[in-house]
Every structure is written in structure tokens, then in C-alpha cells.
């Protein structure tokens, strides 16, 4: 391998990472701006969750079609489409007025959030698919680089999302709902200019699937990992989306305190993700140690929400402190699990159709977030934080069961994708 392709691979990886950082910063801010704005207007926990339902549901289809489009038209073009779509969503959302009747306001916000959900998952699928392409260009025989690049990309992205949570709270307090959205749309416009100017237009373009059957012909590892991902992210969001912010606010925390804590938690979670290659022993084949590690970390994670729910039920005093401490422990184990999954999907993915496999996997990720978001508001309204934690424990038991069945090789591809 010549030095020029290797340098180009590193350069393109850095550009994609920087673009996704900018996107994620504004996406994290958006969540806090919407959550706090409509909580202050008096909407119930279930309605707050409902505002995010289309945001999450739209990601299911966006990931599936996004992976196919990225293979057919190139990753750079899909990044551009994702950024333009997010800017459009911000502008649509900025048109809303708190004076509108709920019958108009809620559907409008749900629609705008759906646009942003499509944008997020188109951008995520394109960006994460780019890692395998750019790593192959830059590899040069370096063992374990794919795991390190995935871990750094995922961890740094979540650190930026955490900063976005804090940014959302600060912007809402400092300049208000509508100016904050306009400012973030302008910032994404600058990111879009950078992508157009510096990334090769046909990056990642490959032979796309020619039928729905071929598109869904995945190997056993991809299918099981997708199931585990549904359960993993459902288990996080079932208490993180509505339960934790509302519980902490009801315990006397301010919006800035809640946003600041969620920011610090997400930044710490991202840092742990970036450290995952140092926590997990790597193997020459990329699976024989990594898959057992995923199983053990899934088991450890499943215990935490169940133990936390029991603790809070027996000793509700200082519940906010206990919840924060428990969330920190949960965050560490969740970060390692998530980083392992993000690596394993690229290890299992077919090299010629990595974007399609990644899109399928992140469609499952979006399905998990959708289920968790909906249940977060519903379960909190029914039984408070205790039922949210119970739902999380059940989902993590399913995640563990799927992880136990993961194969230790990549030879079991199905149909045309196996060629």
C-alpha cells in the first residue's frame, strides 16, 4: 500500500469525524431545547415522550434506506443530504409558537422532530460506514486499528452529544427557543460547506443490493447483533429520555443542573467508549475474545437497573443522589457494551456492502430507541422511576440472550451477500 492512499484514508476519517461532531453537538442541544421548552409549558411525561416518537421511528426507515443509498450514491452525498435535512428540521421547528393550541402544536413538533430523526440516522449510517472504508485505505497492516477507530469515533461523538445537552440548556436560557434553532442551523450550514469542499464525492460508492430480499440477506452475526442492539438501546432510553430528567427536576434540580448532569454523564460515557480497546483484550481474528467480552459486559449491565430499582424501593431517601450514582455505574458498563457492538457490526459486515449492513444494524438501534422512548414516558406516568428501571432490566435480559448466541466467525453469510 502506498503512502498516498494511507494519508487520504486518515484525512477522510478526520473530516467525517469532524462533520459528525458538529452534527451531534446540535442534535444533543435540540433534545434539551425541546424537552425543557415543552415541560415548562406543562405537558405530561407521556406527551413529552410522544414528541420524540417520530424522531426515533423515522430512524428505522432512514437507516435501512440510508445504507442502500450510501452504497449506491456514495457516503459523501448521504452526509450532505443528512445535514441539509437537519437544517430543514430546525427551521420547521422554529416556526412553532407556544400560543398554538395543543392539537396543532404537538403534531407540528412531532413532524419537525421526525425530519430531524431522518437527518440524524442518515448522517449516522453514512458516517459510521465511512469508518470501514477509510480504515481499509489507511490500514497498512496495523492490527486492531478498526476497533480503535470505531471506539474513538463513537466515544468522541457521544462526548460531543453531552456537550450538546449542556449547550441546549445554555442556549435556551440565554437566547430562547427560536434564536437557538436559527443559530444551530447556521452552524450546520458551515459544516455542510466543509463536507462539500473536502470529502471525495464518491467516497464509499459500491454495488448496491438489487432487491429487498438481497438487502435483508444478512449473516447470523449481523441479525443477532441487531436484536441485541434493539434491547440495549431500549433499556437505556426507557429511563434516560423522560424518567431521569423529570425525576431529577421533581427532586428540586433546575433545568441547567439537569442539562449539566446529562452533559457530564454523556461526555463520561463517550470517554469510556473511546477507552474500550484498552478495557477489552483484542484477538488476532477480531472475534474470539471480543464476543465473549460482549457477553460478560452484557451480564454485568443487566444487573445494574434491577439492583438500583430495589435500592430505591427500600430506601427512597436521597433518591436523586442514588439515581445519579447508579446512572454513572450503568453508563460505564453501557459504554463498553455499546463500543463493542459498534466494532462487532463492522467485523461482521460484508466488506462490499458495509453501508447496507451498518444501515440495517442502526435501523435496529433506532427501533430500540423508539421502543425505549415511548415506554419511558408511559412507564414513568404509570409507576415513576421504579417501573422505568424494571423495564430496563427486562430489556437487558433480552440483550444478554442475543449476545450469548453471537457466532465466533464471519463465514455464515446468506445468499448474494456471501459472494
Amino acid at each position: 500500500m502506498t503512502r498516498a492512499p494511507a494519508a487520504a484514508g486518515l484525512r477522510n476519517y478526520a473530516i467525517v469525524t469532524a462533520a459528525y461532531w458538529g452534527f451531534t453537538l446540535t442534535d444533543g442541544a435540540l433534545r434539551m431545547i425541546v424537552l425543557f421548552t415543552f415541560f415548562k409549558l406543562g405537558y405530561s411525561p407521556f406527551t413529552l415522550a410522544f414528541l420524540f416518537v417520530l424522531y426515533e421511528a423515522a430512524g428505522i426507515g432512514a437507516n435501512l434506506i440510508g445504507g442502500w443509498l450510501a452504497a449506491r450514491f456514495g457516503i459523501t452525498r448521504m452526509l450532505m443530504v443528512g445535514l441539509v435535512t437537519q437544517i430543514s428540521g430546525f427551521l420547521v421547528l422554529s416556526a412553532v409558537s407556544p400560543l398554538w393550541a395543543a392539537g396543532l402544536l404537538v403534531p407540528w413538533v412531532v413532524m419537525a422532530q421526525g425530519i430531524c430523526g431522518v437527518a440524524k440516522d442518515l448522517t449516522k449510517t453514512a458516517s459510521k460506514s465511512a469508518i470501514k472504508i477509510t480504515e481499509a485505505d489507511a490500514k497498512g497492516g496495523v492490527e486492531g486499528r478498526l476497533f480503535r477507530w470505531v471506539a474513538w469515533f463513537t466515544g468522541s461523538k457521544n462526548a460531543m452529544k453531552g456537550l450538546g445537552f449542556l449547550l441546549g440548556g445554555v442556549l435556551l436560557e440565554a437566547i430562547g427557543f427560536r434564536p437557538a434553532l436559527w443559530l444551530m442551523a447556521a452552524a450546520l450550514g458551515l459544516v455542510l460547506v466543509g463536507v462539500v469542499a473536502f470529502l471525495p464525492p464518491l467516497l464509499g460508492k459500491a454495488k448496491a443490493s438489487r432487491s429487498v430480499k438481497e438487502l435483508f440477506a444478512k449473516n447470523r452475526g449481523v441479525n443477532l447483533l441487531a436484536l441485541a442492539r434493539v434491547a440495549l438501546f431500549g433499556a437505556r432510553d426507557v429511563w434516560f429520555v423522560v424518567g431521569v430528567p423529570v425525576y431529577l427536576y421533581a427532586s428540586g434540580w433546575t433545568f441547567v443542573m439537569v442539562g449539566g448532569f446529562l452533559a457530564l454523564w454523556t461526555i463520561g460515557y463517550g470517554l469510556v467508549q473511546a477507552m474500550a480497546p484498552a478495557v477489552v483484550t483484542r484477538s488476532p481474528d477480531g472475534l474470539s475474545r471480543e464476543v465473549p467480552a460482549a457477553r460478560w459486559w452484557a451480564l454485568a449491565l443487566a444487573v445494574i437497573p434491577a439492583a438500583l430499582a430495589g435500592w430505591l424501593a427500600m430506601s427512597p431517601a436521597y433518591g436523586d443522589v442514588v439515581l445519579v450514582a447508579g446512572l454513572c455505574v450503568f453508563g460505564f458498563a453501557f459504554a463498553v457494551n455499546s463500543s463493542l457492538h459498534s466494532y462487532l457490526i463492522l467485523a461482521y459486515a460484508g466488506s462490499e456492502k458495509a453501508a447496507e449492513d451498518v444501515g440495517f444494524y442502526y435501523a435496529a438501534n433506532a427501533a430500540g430507541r423508539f421502543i425505549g422512548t415511548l415506554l419511558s414516558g408511559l412507564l414513568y406516568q404509570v409507576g415513576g422511576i421504579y417501573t422505568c428501571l424494571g423495564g430496563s432490566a427486562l430489556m437487558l435480559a433480552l440483550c444478554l440472550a442475543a449476545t450469548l448466541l453471537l457466532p465466533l466467525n464471519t463465514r455464515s453469510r446468506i445468499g448474494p451477500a456471501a459472494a
Side-chain angles (χ1 to χ4, degrees):
M1 178 174 291
T2 64
R3 187 170 296 177
L10 287 167
R11 170 183 171 275
N12 292 338
Y13 172 79
I15 293 169
V16 170
T17 301
Y20 198 39
W21 281 355
F23 183 95
T24 304
L25 183 68
T26 60
D27 191 62
L30 175 67
R31 181 169 290 267
M32 290 297 101
I33 288 170
V34 171
L35 181 66
F36 289 154
T37 295
F38 294 97
F39 184 80
K40 286 194 293 184
L41 291 175
Y43 288 91
S44 70
F46 180 73
T47 302
L48 292 175
F50 185 75
L51 295 177
F52 294 98
V53 162
L54 189 57
Y55 173 89
E56 304 296 358
I60 301 172
N63 277 303
L64 286 173
I65 192 65
W68 182 83
L69 290 172
R72 183 175 177 85
F73 298 108
I75 288 167
T76 300
R77 291 175 180 172
M78 292 314 302
L79 271 175
M80 293 163 56
V81 170
L83 290 165
V84 170
T85 305
Q86 182 82 328
I87 292 169
S88 302
F90 285 171
L91 296 178
V92 169
L93 186 59
S94 72
V96 78
S97 169
L99 300 178
W100 292 357
L104 174 61
L105 186 147
V106 171
W108 188 278
V109 174
V110 170
M111 175 189 67
Q113 288 283 85
I115 294 171
C116 293
V118 170
K120 186 191 75 167
D121 286 294
L122 287 177
T123 307
K124 175 189 283 187
T125 297
S127 299
K128 294 205 171 183
S129 301
I131 300 175
K132 188 149 188 171
I133 305 299
T134 57
E135 190 273 341
D137 291 339
K139 187 172 183 180
V142 179
E143 182 179 325
R145 176 176 275 172
L146 180 60
F147 194 178
R148 292 196 299 274
W149 278 25
V150 171
W152 166 250
F153 181 91
T154 306
S156 62
K157 178 267 292 186
N158 282 302
M160 294 303 294
K161 186 175 183 179
L163 288 174
F165 289 158
L166 180 59
L167 177 65
V170 170
L171 288 177
L172 192 59
E173 291 284 346
I175 62 177
F177 178 78
R178 188 173 287 116
L181 292 170
W182 290 343
L183 180 62
M184 294 193 301
L188 282 185
L190 295 177
V191 174
L192 175 62
V193 170
V195 169
V196 173
F198 297 112
L199 271 185
L202 298 181
L203 177 69
K205 189 177 185 301
K207 183 180 178 182
S209 293
R210 291 169 293 181
S211 67
V212 172
K213 181 178 179 181
E214 186 178 345
L215 179 63
F216 282 90
K218 306 302 177 188
N219 67 44
R220 183 166 174 260
V222 170
N223 288 330
L224 285 169
L225 201 57
L227 175 60
R229 194 73 171 188
V230 170
L232 182 68
F233 273 78
R236 182 197 66 177
D237 286 359
V238 76
W239 61 303
F240 190 77
V241 171
V242 172
V244 169
V246 172
Y247 180 85
L248 293 179
Y249 182 77
S251 299
W253 291 43
T254 66
F255 290 131
V256 174
M257 289 170 64
V258 175
F261 166 68
L262 294 180
L264 290 173
W265 184 88
T266 309
I267 291 168
Y269 156 69
L271 292 175
V272 173
Q273 281 187 309
M275 290 166 41
V279 175
V280 178
T281 303
R282 295 186 299 278
S283 60
D285 61 17
L287 291 175
S288 59
R289 292 175 183 166
E290 291 82 354
V291 170
R295 294 167 179 166
W296 282 110
W297 280 101
L299 175 61
L301 185 64
V303 172
I304 296 171
L308 187 56
W311 187 307
L312 287 172
M314 291 186 298
S315 180
Y318 302 104
D320 56 336
V321 176
V322 173
L323 185 67
V324 165
L327 187 58
C328 290
V329 177
F330 180 90
F332 185 92
F334 184 88
V336 177
N337 271 278
S338 179
S339 192
L340 274 166
H341 284 199
S342 294
Y343 161 73
L344 287 172
I345 184 57
L346 293 181
Y348 286 128
S351 58
E352 290 186 0
K353 296 183 180 179
E356 289 187 2
D357 286 350
V358 170
F360 175 80
Y361 169 75
Y362 280 108
N365 188 94
R369 294 196 314 265
F370 169 75
I371 294 167
T373 297
L374 188 61
L375 288 178
S376 183
L378 181 62
L379 293 180
Y380 190 87
Q381 195 158 319
V382 169
I385 198 68
Y386 308 103
T387 50
C388 291
L389 290 167
S392 178
L394 289 175
M395 289 185 181
L396 288 170
L398 175 60
C399 175
L400 174 61
T403 306
L404 289 173
L405 297 174
L406 286 175
L408 292 173
N409 61 71
T410 58
R411 293 193 296 268
S412 56
R413 291 199 66 81
I414 301 171

